[in-house]
Amino acid sequence: MMVRYLRLKKKRQEAEELVKQHLRDIPFPFPQVIQSMNGTFFTGWPPCLLEQLVANAKPMYLKKGSYLMHEGDIGRVMFMITRGEVSIILHKRGKNKRRTKENSNGVLQIKAPCYVGEFALVCKEPRSASIYCETDIGFWAVLPEDYEEVAKKLSPEVASKQREATDERRRQNLKRFFPLRVDFLRNLKYFESFSNAALTQLIELVEPLVLHDGDFLYKMGEMDSSVYFIQDGVAMEEDVTGEQVKVTTGSCIGIFECSCGVNERKRTTIVSINYCDIWRLRRETLIDIGMSEPHALLDCRAAAKANRAKAMQKSGRVMHLLKRNAFLTFTLLSSQIVKLFEACTPCVYLNDERIVWMGQPFTGLVIIVSGSVNITIAVNGEQEVIRYNKANEGDPGQSGHSALPSTIGSFTAPPASMVASPRFADHSGVEENPFTIIGAYEFAASFRQYGSTVTSFGLTQAYVIDKAKLDAIVTPELKRIMFDTVAARDLVVDAYKARDMSILRANMAAGFAQKFKIHRDSLKEKKKK
């Protein structure tokens, strides 16, 4: 390591000495010299900006037979050659990796004044060719930061043309030098179950996108069903509250909407910082390829749903819904309801996804926090379907926005104002809908099966408390009271059938919770004695 360091140090010293010896022989790239160079990179640049561009350029000198650059090397410096002659060499592909003039497909000689490496300056691309010195050459090195500072002052028209040329080159480079790879997708949990052949098909059909500083990938409220992979660069994601999170290289964005067929409006805005190279995968492509491997597509959707649910933030609204439900307050103490809140986990349901069905063994409670559901219940021997809509109420902590309808496929879930939501009458002045918590009635009535079928209508977000957690919260003594107190169970059934929660609120003293509290207090008194 030390030997290599000393060699490099010696080479630098020799290069510096060579420049000192030939500094007078290296013509300066004045604006008129740059304008005379072949190429369109500086077309439309005013002389004053060309002067600023080369103001900090560094003079350099190379001997005949040297290489200015090698094909494949990474570099972001542009060179303006003002003396000598060079050859542009494209090396042969194959087993012979020697980067020599003899091992080449073609050689193009150019004379000073000329410039090379201009696209590496703005595109971060590997050198596309080798540059061989046919004679001694004098040149000036332009650094990317100097270019970027001056480029900000270009007229909109010139900047637009240069940007178009640069973007096209960057897109070509993404395909040529930095293609999306199977191992990249394999590291994402959404694509773990796909075969290599399927992932290769996906890679062949992705589209390259290039963003500059301040460019938007998408804005809040827009519709976009594609998934994006950040190949290089950094972006910033901002939600409705103004909170910002960095989106870094390797990130996967939009997989939920893409894989699950959800056409909801974007809940955040993503803007590029400096630059971003991105791959775009359209929904049609993912679904078409996924249909050949349905198990992999289902696993992808499950992972996307789990990730979306994980992003939900449990707010005080969930606790409010629990404490507001008459079935639960009739059955449980406040401390037990708090434990329900602590035990619930987020979940999302897609359009037509069945949440519970009539006759299904009781598996727990489902708290609807946003979205719509169709509830099928039996009334006088006939089935009645009720559409219940739970608006998001503008809570920024929850995913989605009540004012923005969600769509799945060709289906559109209407906003809250368009959906009739039958309510149970509550003569105490607190109007509520027990459908907010699916299973609360069956739990309070000690039923072992659900009495209704509930299906998601559009995208529904909920919190789930499974039976195991519920059983851990409800003590054996409370379970006994719930089973033995027939009169209280009759009140629960009467309130449900009459759709009148005031029946329960007027008889809280006869409820399971109150009886359990009395029993618990009596045990405490006995222990004291």
Side-chain angles (χ1 to χ4, degrees), residues 243-278:
E243 183 178 351
Q244 295 183 335
V245 179
K246 277 190 176 182
V247 182
T248 56
T249 298
S251 298
C252 175
I253 305 167
I255 187 64
F256 176 72
E257 297 92 325
C258 185
S259 64
C260 296
V262 177
N263 294 331
E264 70 171 351
R265 297 185 185 277
K266 290 297 183 182
R267 300 171 297 129
T268 59
T269 294
I270 293 185
V271 61
S272 173
I273 300 176
N274 293 327
Y275 71 89
C276 264
D277 293 336
I278 299 171

PDB file of all heavy atoms in Angstrom, residues 243-278:
ATOM      1  N   GLU A 243     -44.060  17.386   7.080  1.00  0.00           N
ATOM      2  CA  GLU A 243     -42.925  16.576   7.537  1.00  0.00           C
ATOM      3  C   GLU A 243     -42.189  15.996   6.332  1.00  0.00           C
ATOM      4  O   GLU A 243     -42.807  15.483   5.400  1.00  0.00           O
ATOM      5  CB  GLU A 243     -43.405  15.449   8.446  1.00  0.00           C
ATOM      6  CG  GLU A 243     -42.270  14.603   9.009  1.00  0.00           C
ATOM      7  CD  GLU A 243     -42.758  13.515   9.945  1.00  0.00           C
ATOM      8  OE1 GLU A 243     -43.961  13.527  10.280  1.00  0.00           O
ATOM      9  OE2 GLU A 243     -41.947  12.658  10.329  1.00  0.00           O
ATOM     10  N   GLN A 244     -40.858  16.070   6.363  1.00  0.00           N
ATOM     11  CA  GLN A 244     -40.045  15.620   5.237  1.00  0.00           C
ATOM     12  C   GLN A 244     -39.182  14.422   5.623  1.00  0.00           C
ATOM     13  O   GLN A 244     -38.660  14.349   6.734  1.00  0.00           O
ATOM     14  CB  GLN A 244     -39.148  16.757   4.736  1.00  0.00           C
ATOM     15  CG  GLN A 244     -39.921  17.931   4.143  1.00  0.00           C
ATOM     16  CD  GLN A 244     -39.002  19.001   3.593  1.00  0.00           C
ATOM     17  OE1 GLN A 244     -37.862  19.142   4.022  1.00  0.00           O
ATOM     18  NE2 GLN A 244     -39.488  19.763   2.624  1.00  0.00           N
ATOM     19  N   VAL A 245     -39.064  13.496   4.678  1.00  0.00           N
ATOM     20  CA  VAL A 245     -38.245  12.297   4.862  1.00  0.00           C
ATOM     21  C   VAL A 245     -37.413  12.093   3.607  1.00  0.00           C
ATOM     22  O   VAL A 245     -37.924  12.228   2.485  1.00  0.00           O
ATOM     23  CB  VAL A 245     -39.120  11.051   5.117  1.00  0.00           C
ATOM     24  CG1 VAL A 245     -38.246   9.811   5.271  1.00  0.00           C
ATOM     25  CG2 VAL A 245     -39.981  11.245   6.357  1.00  0.00           C
ATOM     26  N   LYS A 246     -36.137  11.764   3.768  1.00  0.00           N
ATOM     27  CA  LYS A 246     -35.276  11.523   2.613  1.00  0.00           C
ATOM     28  C   LYS A 246     -35.589  10.173   1.972  1.00  0.00           C
ATOM     29  O   LYS A 246     -35.803   9.185   2.660  1.00  0.00           O
ATOM     30  CB  LYS A 246     -33.802  11.574   3.019  1.00  0.00           C
ATOM     31  CG  LYS A 246     -33.228  12.975   3.080  1.00  0.00           C
ATOM     32  CD  LYS A 246     -31.719  12.950   3.243  1.00  0.00           C
ATOM     33  CE  LYS A 246     -31.147  14.367   3.205  1.00  0.00           C
ATOM     34  NZ  LYS A 246     -29.669  14.362   3.320  1.00  0.00           N
ATOM     35  N   VAL A 247     -35.607  10.177   0.651  1.00  0.00           N
ATOM     36  CA  VAL A 247     -35.764   8.944  -0.122  1.00  0.00           C
ATOM     37  C   VAL A 247     -34.421   8.678  -0.786  1.00  0.00           C
ATOM     38  O   VAL A 247     -33.972   9.451  -1.626  1.00  0.00           O
ATOM     39  CB  VAL A 247     -36.868   9.088  -1.185  1.00  0.00           C
ATOM     40  CG1 VAL A 247     -37.046   7.778  -1.941  1.00  0.00           C
ATOM     41  CG2 VAL A 247     -38.178   9.518  -0.545  1.00  0.00           C
ATOM     42  N   THR A 248     -33.775   7.600  -0.406  1.00  0.00           N
ATOM     43  CA  THR A 248     -32.397   7.365  -0.818  1.00  0.00           C
ATOM     44  C   THR A 248     -32.286   6.287  -1.892  1.00  0.00           C
ATOM     45  O   THR A 248     -33.264   5.624  -2.242  1.00  0.00           O
ATOM     46  CB  THR A 248     -31.543   6.958   0.396  1.00  0.00           C
ATOM     47  OG1 THR A 248     -32.142   5.813   1.016  1.00  0.00           O
ATOM     48  CG2 THR A 248     -31.484   8.087   1.420  1.00  0.00           C
ATOM     49  N   THR A 249     -31.073   6.127  -2.394  1.00  0.00           N
ATOM     50  CA  THR A 249     -30.783   5.103  -3.399  1.00  0.00           C
ATOM     51  C   THR A 249     -31.211   3.720  -2.902  1.00  0.00           C
ATOM     52  O   THR A 249     -30.960   3.365  -1.759  1.00  0.00           O
ATOM     53  CB  THR A 249     -29.277   5.095  -3.711  1.00  0.00           C
ATOM     54  OG1 THR A 249     -28.906   6.367  -4.248  1.00  0.00           O
ATOM     55  CG2 THR A 249     -28.937   4.005  -4.714  1.00  0.00           C
ATOM     56  N   GLY A 250     -31.867   2.972  -3.780  1.00  0.00           N
ATOM     57  CA  GLY A 250     -32.339   1.638  -3.422  1.00  0.00           C
ATOM     58  C   GLY A 250     -33.778   1.604  -2.957  1.00  0.00           C
ATOM     59  O   GLY A 250     -34.325   0.522  -2.710  1.00  0.00           O
ATOM     60  N   SER A 251     -34.414   2.774  -2.855  1.00  0.00           N
ATOM     61  CA  SER A 251     -35.799   2.826  -2.375  1.00  0.00           C
ATOM     62  C   SER A 251     -36.772   2.357  -3.452  1.00  0.00           C
ATOM     63  O   SER A 251     -36.518   2.488  -4.650  1.00  0.00           O
ATOM     64  CB  SER A 251     -36.163   4.252  -1.949  1.00  0.00           C
ATOM     65  OG  SER A 251     -35.358   4.686  -0.877  1.00  0.00           O
ATOM     66  N   CYS A 252     -37.891   1.822  -2.994  1.00  0.00           N
ATOM     67  CA  CYS A 252     -38.982   1.376  -3.869  1.00  0.00           C
ATOM     68  C   CYS A 252     -40.221   2.181  -3.483  1.00  0.00           C
ATOM     69  O   CYS A 252     -40.656   2.142  -2.332  1.00  0.00           O
ATOM     70  CB  CYS A 252     -39.211  -0.119  -3.693  1.00  0.00           C
ATOM     71  SG  CYS A 252     -40.620  -0.775  -4.593  1.00  0.00           S
ATOM     72  N   ILE A 253     -40.804   2.903  -4.442  1.00  0.00           N
ATOM     73  CA  ILE A 253     -41.905   3.825  -4.160  1.00  0.00           C
ATOM     74  C   ILE A 253     -43.122   3.451  -4.999  1.00  0.00           C
ATOM     75  O   ILE A 253     -43.007   3.226  -6.202  1.00  0.00           O
ATOM     76  CB  ILE A 253     -41.492   5.276  -4.486  1.00  0.00           C
ATOM     77  CG1 ILE A 253     -40.218   5.653  -3.726  1.00  0.00           C
ATOM     78  CG2 ILE A 253     -42.611   6.249  -4.168  1.00  0.00           C
ATOM     79  CD1 ILE A 253     -39.583   6.927  -4.223  1.00  0.00           C
ATOM     80  N   GLY A 254     -44.300   3.396  -4.359  1.00  0.00           N
ATOM     81  CA  GLY A 254     -45.545   3.193  -5.093  1.00  0.00           C
ATOM     82  C   GLY A 254     -45.922   1.743  -5.318  1.00  0.00           C
ATOM     83  O   GLY A 254     -46.822   1.455  -6.109  1.00  0.00           O
ATOM     84  N   ILE A 255     -45.287   0.817  -4.611  1.00  0.00           N
ATOM     85  CA  ILE A 255     -45.564  -0.602  -4.837  1.00  0.00           C
ATOM     86  C   ILE A 255     -46.989  -0.967  -4.427  1.00  0.00           C
ATOM     87  O   ILE A 255     -47.606  -1.853  -5.028  1.00  0.00           O
ATOM     88  CB  ILE A 255     -44.532  -1.475  -4.081  1.00  0.00           C
ATOM     89  CG1 ILE A 255     -44.699  -2.953  -4.436  1.00  0.00           C
ATOM     90  CG2 ILE A 255     -44.627  -1.252  -2.588  1.00  0.00           C
ATOM     91  CD1 ILE A 255     -44.419  -3.285  -5.865  1.00  0.00           C
ATOM     92  N   PHE A 256     -47.540  -0.294  -3.427  1.00  0.00           N
ATOM     93  CA  PHE A 256     -48.902  -0.626  -2.977  1.00  0.00           C
ATOM     94  C   PHE A 256     -49.921  -0.338  -4.073  1.00  0.00           C
ATOM     95  O   PHE A 256     -50.733  -1.195  -4.433  1.00  0.00           O
ATOM     96  CB  PHE A 256     -49.240   0.158  -1.707  1.00  0.00           C
ATOM     97  CG  PHE A 256     -50.650  -0.055  -1.219  1.00  0.00           C
ATOM     98  CD1 PHE A 256     -51.020  -1.256  -0.646  1.00  0.00           C
ATOM     99  CD2 PHE A 256     -51.605   0.944  -1.349  1.00  0.00           C
ATOM    100  CE1 PHE A 256     -52.324  -1.466  -0.203  1.00  0.00           C
ATOM    101  CE2 PHE A 256     -52.901   0.753  -0.909  1.00  0.00           C
ATOM    102  CZ  PHE A 256     -53.262  -0.457  -0.332  1.00  0.00           C
ATOM    103  N   GLU A 257     -49.884   0.876  -4.617  1.00  0.00           N
ATOM    104  CA  GLU A 257     -50.827   1.243  -5.667  1.00  0.00           C
ATOM    105  C   GLU A 257     -50.648   0.368  -6.901  1.00  0.00           C
ATOM    106  O   GLU A 257     -51.613  -0.035  -7.547  1.00  0.00           O
ATOM    107  CB  GLU A 257     -50.653   2.716  -6.058  1.00  0.00           C
ATOM    108  CG  GLU A 257     -50.951   3.706  -4.942  1.00  0.00           C
ATOM    109  CD  GLU A 257     -49.710   4.071  -4.146  1.00  0.00           C
ATOM    110  OE1 GLU A 257     -48.841   3.180  -3.971  1.00  0.00           O
ATOM    111  OE2 GLU A 257     -49.614   5.223  -3.703  1.00  0.00           O
ATOM    112  N   CYS A 258     -49.389   0.063  -7.218  1.00  0.00           N
ATOM    113  CA  CYS A 258     -49.085  -0.692  -8.427  1.00  0.00           C
ATOM    114  C   CYS A 258     -49.521  -2.147  -8.316  1.00  0.00           C
ATOM    115  O   CYS A 258     -50.223  -2.664  -9.187  1.00  0.00           O
ATOM    116  CB  CYS A 258     -47.583  -0.612  -8.720  1.00  0.00           C
ATOM    117  SG  CYS A 258     -47.077  -1.383 -10.270  1.00  0.00           S
ATOM    118  N   SER A 259     -49.130  -2.815  -7.253  1.00  0.00           N
ATOM    119  CA  SER A 259     -49.390  -4.255  -7.143  1.00  0.00           C
ATOM    120  C   SER A 259     -50.815  -4.570  -6.714  1.00  0.00           C
ATOM    121  O   SER A 259     -51.365  -5.602  -7.093  1.00  0.00           O
ATOM    122  CB  SER A 259     -48.409  -4.886  -6.154  1.00  0.00           C
ATOM    123  OG  SER A 259     -48.601  -4.362  -4.850  1.00  0.00           O
ATOM    124  N   CYS A 260     -51.422  -3.680  -5.932  1.00  0.00           N
ATOM    125  CA  CYS A 260     -52.761  -3.954  -5.393  1.00  0.00           C
ATOM    126  C   CYS A 260     -53.881  -3.360  -6.236  1.00  0.00           C
ATOM    127  O   CYS A 260     -55.061  -3.503  -5.898  1.00  0.00           O
ATOM    128  CB  CYS A 260     -52.861  -3.431  -3.958  1.00  0.00           C
ATOM    129  SG  CYS A 260     -51.743  -4.268  -2.813  1.00  0.00           S
ATOM    130  N   GLY A 261     -53.530  -2.675  -7.320  1.00  0.00           N
ATOM    131  CA  GLY A 261     -54.559  -2.121  -8.197  1.00  0.00           C
ATOM    132  C   GLY A 261     -55.333  -0.972  -7.595  1.00  0.00           C
ATOM    133  O   GLY A 261     -56.491  -0.745  -7.942  1.00  0.00           O
ATOM    134  N   VAL A 262     -54.717  -0.235  -6.690  1.00  0.00           N
ATOM    135  CA  VAL A 262     -55.389   0.884  -6.023  1.00  0.00           C
ATOM    136  C   VAL A 262     -55.053   2.181  -6.741  1.00  0.00           C
ATOM    137  O   VAL A 262     -53.884   2.528  -6.886  1.00  0.00           O
ATOM    138  CB  VAL A 262     -54.958   0.978  -4.545  1.00  0.00           C
ATOM    139  CG1 VAL A 262     -55.593   2.191  -3.879  1.00  0.00           C
ATOM    140  CG2 VAL A 262     -55.340  -0.292  -3.810  1.00  0.00           C
ATOM    141  N   ASN A 263     -56.083   2.897  -7.187  1.00  0.00           N
ATOM    142  CA  ASN A 263     -55.879   4.176  -7.875  1.00  0.00           C
ATOM    143  C   ASN A 263     -56.215   5.339  -6.953  1.00  0.00           C
ATOM    144  O   ASN A 263     -57.115   6.126  -7.222  1.00  0.00           O
ATOM    145  CB  ASN A 263     -56.747   4.260  -9.133  1.00  0.00           C
ATOM    146  CG  ASN A 263     -56.335   3.256 -10.176  1.00  0.00           C
ATOM    147  OD1 ASN A 263     -55.178   2.873 -10.245  1.00  0.00           O
ATOM    148  ND2 ASN A 263     -57.282   2.804 -10.974  1.00  0.00           N
ATOM    149  N   GLU A 264     -55.526   5.436  -5.854  1.00  0.00           N
ATOM    150  CA  GLU A 264     -55.785   6.555  -4.949  1.00  0.00           C
ATOM    151  C   GLU A 264     -54.833   7.700  -5.263  1.00  0.00           C
ATOM    152  O   GLU A 264     -53.760   7.513  -5.830  1.00  0.00           O
ATOM    153  CB  GLU A 264     -55.625   6.120  -3.498  1.00  0.00           C
ATOM    154  CG  GLU A 264     -54.204   5.823  -3.084  1.00  0.00           C
ATOM    155  CD  GLU A 264     -54.067   5.597  -1.592  1.00  0.00           C
ATOM    156  OE1 GLU A 264     -55.043   5.835  -0.867  1.00  0.00           O
ATOM    157  OE2 GLU A 264     -52.992   5.189  -1.159  1.00  0.00           O
ATOM    158  N   ARG A 265     -55.252   8.878  -4.879  1.00  0.00           N
ATOM    159  CA  ARG A 265     -54.412  10.051  -5.104  1.00  0.00           C
ATOM    160  C   ARG A 265     -53.207  10.006  -4.164  1.00  0.00           C
ATOM    161  O   ARG A 265     -53.302   9.514  -3.043  1.00  0.00           O
ATOM    162  CB  ARG A 265     -55.221  11.333  -4.890  1.00  0.00           C
ATOM    163  CG  ARG A 265     -56.369  11.470  -5.880  1.00  0.00           C
ATOM    164  CD  ARG A 265     -57.077  12.800  -5.737  1.00  0.00           C
ATOM    165  NE  ARG A 265     -58.237  12.876  -6.605  1.00  0.00           N
ATOM    166  CZ  ARG A 265     -58.197  13.212  -7.884  1.00  0.00           C
ATOM    167  NH1 ARG A 265     -57.035  13.521  -8.436  1.00  0.00           N
ATOM    168  NH2 ARG A 265     -59.296  13.252  -8.603  1.00  0.00           N
ATOM    169  N   LYS A 266     -52.094  10.510  -4.656  1.00  0.00           N
ATOM    170  CA  LYS A 266     -50.860  10.468  -3.885  1.00  0.00           C
ATOM    171  C   LYS A 266     -51.007  11.259  -2.591  1.00  0.00           C
ATOM    172  O   LYS A 266     -51.538  12.372  -2.577  1.00  0.00           O
ATOM    173  CB  LYS A 266     -49.699  11.020  -4.707  1.00  0.00           C
ATOM    174  CG  LYS A 266     -49.286  10.112  -5.867  1.00  0.00           C
ATOM    175  CD  LYS A 266     -48.791   8.779  -5.352  1.00  0.00           C
ATOM    176  CE  LYS A 266     -48.306   7.889  -6.476  1.00  0.00           C
ATOM    177  NZ  LYS A 266     -47.863   6.562  -5.989  1.00  0.00           N
ATOM    178  N   ARG A 267     -50.511  10.673  -1.510  1.00  0.00           N
ATOM    179  CA  ARG A 267     -50.630  11.291  -0.190  1.00  0.00           C
ATOM    180  C   ARG A 267     -49.420  12.136   0.167  1.00  0.00           C
ATOM    181  O   ARG A 267     -49.394  12.789   1.196  1.00  0.00           O
ATOM    182  CB  ARG A 267     -50.828  10.193   0.862  1.00  0.00           C
ATOM    183  CG  ARG A 267     -52.069   9.343   0.628  1.00  0.00           C
ATOM    184  CD  ARG A 267     -52.132   8.144   1.552  1.00  0.00           C
ATOM    185  NE  ARG A 267     -51.018   7.244   1.314  1.00  0.00           N
ATOM    186  CZ  ARG A 267     -50.223   6.776   2.261  1.00  0.00           C
ATOM    187  NH1 ARG A 267     -50.406   7.143   3.503  1.00  0.00           N
ATOM    188  NH2 ARG A 267     -49.246   5.951   1.964  1.00  0.00           N
ATOM    189  N   THR A 268     -48.385  12.087  -0.682  1.00  0.00           N
ATOM    190  CA  THR A 268     -47.169  12.856  -0.430  1.00  0.00           C
ATOM    191  C   THR A 268     -46.663  13.462  -1.731  1.00  0.00           C
ATOM    192  O   THR A 268     -47.146  13.137  -2.818  1.00  0.00           O
ATOM    193  CB  THR A 268     -46.057  11.965   0.164  1.00  0.00           C
ATOM    194  OG1 THR A 268     -45.771  10.905  -0.765  1.00  0.00           O
ATOM    195  CG2 THR A 268     -46.480  11.373   1.497  1.00  0.00           C
ATOM    196  N   THR A 269     -45.685  14.331  -1.590  1.00  0.00           N
ATOM    197  CA  THR A 269     -44.978  14.915  -2.734  1.00  0.00           C
ATOM    198  C   THR A 269     -43.521  14.468  -2.670  1.00  0.00           C
ATOM    199  O   THR A 269     -42.917  14.482  -1.597  1.00  0.00           O
ATOM    200  CB  THR A 269     -45.051  16.452  -2.695  1.00  0.00           C
ATOM    201  OG1 THR A 269     -46.415  16.859  -2.873  1.00  0.00           O
ATOM    202  CG2 THR A 269     -44.194  17.071  -3.790  1.00  0.00           C
ATOM    203  N   ILE A 270     -42.969  14.061  -3.810  1.00  0.00           N
ATOM    204  CA  ILE A 270     -41.560  13.660  -3.856  1.00  0.00           C
ATOM    205  C   ILE A 270     -40.833  14.545  -4.860  1.00  0.00           C
ATOM    206  O   ILE A 270     -41.233  14.647  -6.023  1.00  0.00           O
ATOM    207  CB  ILE A 270     -41.405  12.178  -4.238  1.00  0.00           C
ATOM    208  CG1 ILE A 270     -41.973  11.295  -3.121  1.00  0.00           C
ATOM    209  CG2 ILE A 270     -39.945  11.837  -4.494  1.00  0.00           C
ATOM    210  CD1 ILE A 270     -41.777   9.819  -3.334  1.00  0.00           C
ATOM    211  N   VAL A 271     -39.766  15.193  -4.389  1.00  0.00           N
ATOM    212  CA  VAL A 271     -38.988  16.107  -5.222  1.00  0.00           C
ATOM    213  C   VAL A 271     -37.517  15.711  -5.159  1.00  0.00           C
ATOM    214  O   VAL A 271     -37.007  15.301  -4.118  1.00  0.00           O
ATOM    215  CB  VAL A 271     -39.185  17.570  -4.755  1.00  0.00           C
ATOM    216  CG1 VAL A 271     -38.726  17.754  -3.318  1.00  0.00           C
ATOM    217  CG2 VAL A 271     -38.468  18.550  -5.684  1.00  0.00           C
ATOM    218  N   SER A 272     -36.840  15.824  -6.297  1.00  0.00           N
ATOM    219  CA  SER A 272     -35.437  15.429  -6.392  1.00  0.00           C
ATOM    220  C   SER A 272     -34.526  16.461  -5.728  1.00  0.00           C
ATOM    221  O   SER A 272     -34.780  17.663  -5.781  1.00  0.00           O
ATOM    222  CB  SER A 272     -35.045  15.276  -7.866  1.00  0.00           C
ATOM    223  OG  SER A 272     -33.659  15.056  -8.004  1.00  0.00           O
ATOM    224  N   ILE A 273     -33.469  15.960  -5.092  1.00  0.00           N
ATOM    225  CA  ILE A 273     -32.424  16.825  -4.544  1.00  0.00           C
ATOM    226  C   ILE A 273     -31.173  16.620  -5.394  1.00  0.00           C
ATOM    227  O   ILE A 273     -30.633  15.516  -5.454  1.00  0.00           O
ATOM    228  CB  ILE A 273     -32.125  16.485  -3.075  1.00  0.00           C
ATOM    229  CG1 ILE A 273     -33.379  16.661  -2.223  1.00  0.00           C
ATOM    230  CG2 ILE A 273     -30.998  17.349  -2.537  1.00  0.00           C
ATOM    231  CD1 ILE A 273     -33.188  16.254  -0.780  1.00  0.00           C
ATOM    232  N   ASN A 274     -30.717  17.670  -6.053  1.00  0.00           N
ATOM    233  CA  ASN A 274     -29.583  17.632  -6.990  1.00  0.00           C
ATOM    234  C   ASN A 274     -29.949  16.829  -8.234  1.00  0.00           C
ATOM    235  O   ASN A 274     -30.172  17.384  -9.289  1.00  0.00           O
ATOM    236  CB  ASN A 274     -28.323  17.081  -6.329  1.00  0.00           C
ATOM    237  CG  ASN A 274     -27.794  18.011  -5.256  1.00  0.00           C
ATOM    238  OD1 ASN A 274     -27.922  19.223  -5.373  1.00  0.00           O
ATOM    239  ND2 ASN A 274     -27.220  17.457  -4.213  1.00  0.00           N
ATOM    240  N   TYR A 275     -30.021  15.511  -8.126  1.00  0.00           N
ATOM    241  CA  TYR A 275     -30.386  14.686  -9.273  1.00  0.00           C
ATOM    242  C   TYR A 275     -30.920  13.353  -8.767  1.00  0.00           C
ATOM    243  O   TYR A 275     -30.675  12.953  -7.628  1.00  0.00           O
ATOM    244  CB  TYR A 275     -29.175  14.440 -10.185  1.00  0.00           C
ATOM    245  CG  TYR A 275     -28.163  13.511  -9.563  1.00  0.00           C
ATOM    246  CD1 TYR A 275     -28.247  12.129  -9.741  1.00  0.00           C
ATOM    247  CD2 TYR A 275     -27.132  14.004  -8.769  1.00  0.00           C
ATOM    248  CE1 TYR A 275     -27.339  11.272  -9.146  1.00  0.00           C
ATOM    249  CE2 TYR A 275     -26.219  13.153  -8.174  1.00  0.00           C
ATOM    250  CZ  TYR A 275     -26.323  11.784  -8.370  1.00  0.00           C
ATOM    251  OH  TYR A 275     -25.430  10.941  -7.777  1.00  0.00           O
ATOM    252  N   CYS A 276     -31.658  12.671  -9.628  1.00  0.00           N
ATOM    253  CA  CYS A 276     -32.134  11.323  -9.318  1.00  0.00           C
ATOM    254  C   CYS A 276     -32.235  10.531 -10.612  1.00  0.00           C
ATOM    255  O   CYS A 276     -32.820  11.016 -11.592  1.00  0.00           O
ATOM    256  CB  CYS A 276     -33.515  11.363  -8.649  1.00  0.00           C
ATOM    257  SG  CYS A 276     -33.460  11.308  -6.860  1.00  0.00           S
ATOM    258  N   ASP A 277     -31.665   9.340 -10.615  1.00  0.00           N
ATOM    259  CA  ASP A 277     -31.842   8.400 -11.716  1.00  0.00           C
ATOM    260  C   ASP A 277     -32.806   7.323 -11.230  1.00  0.00           C
ATOM    261  O   ASP A 277     -32.567   6.685 -10.195  1.00  0.00           O
ATOM    262  CB  ASP A 277     -30.510   7.776 -12.123  1.00  0.00           C
ATOM    263  CG  ASP A 277     -29.569   8.811 -12.738  1.00  0.00           C
ATOM    264  OD1 ASP A 277     -30.075   9.821 -13.255  1.00  0.00           O
ATOM    265  OD2 ASP A 277     -28.346   8.613 -12.696  1.00  0.00           O
ATOM    266  N   ILE A 278     -33.881   7.120 -11.979  1.00  0.00           N
ATOM    267  CA  ILE A 278     -34.999   6.309 -11.496  1.00  0.00           C
ATOM    268  C   ILE A 278     -35.459   5.345 -12.584  1.00  0.00           C
ATOM    269  O   ILE A 278     -35.412   5.664 -13.780  1.00  0.00           O
ATOM    270  CB  ILE A 278     -36.179   7.226 -11.078  1.00  0.00           C
ATOM    271  CG1 ILE A 278     -35.742   8.159  -9.942  1.00  0.00           C
ATOM    272  CG2 ILE A 278     -37.399   6.417 -10.662  1.00  0.00           C
ATOM    273  CD1 ILE A 278     -36.750   9.236  -9.611  1.00  0.00           C
TER     274      ILE A 278
END
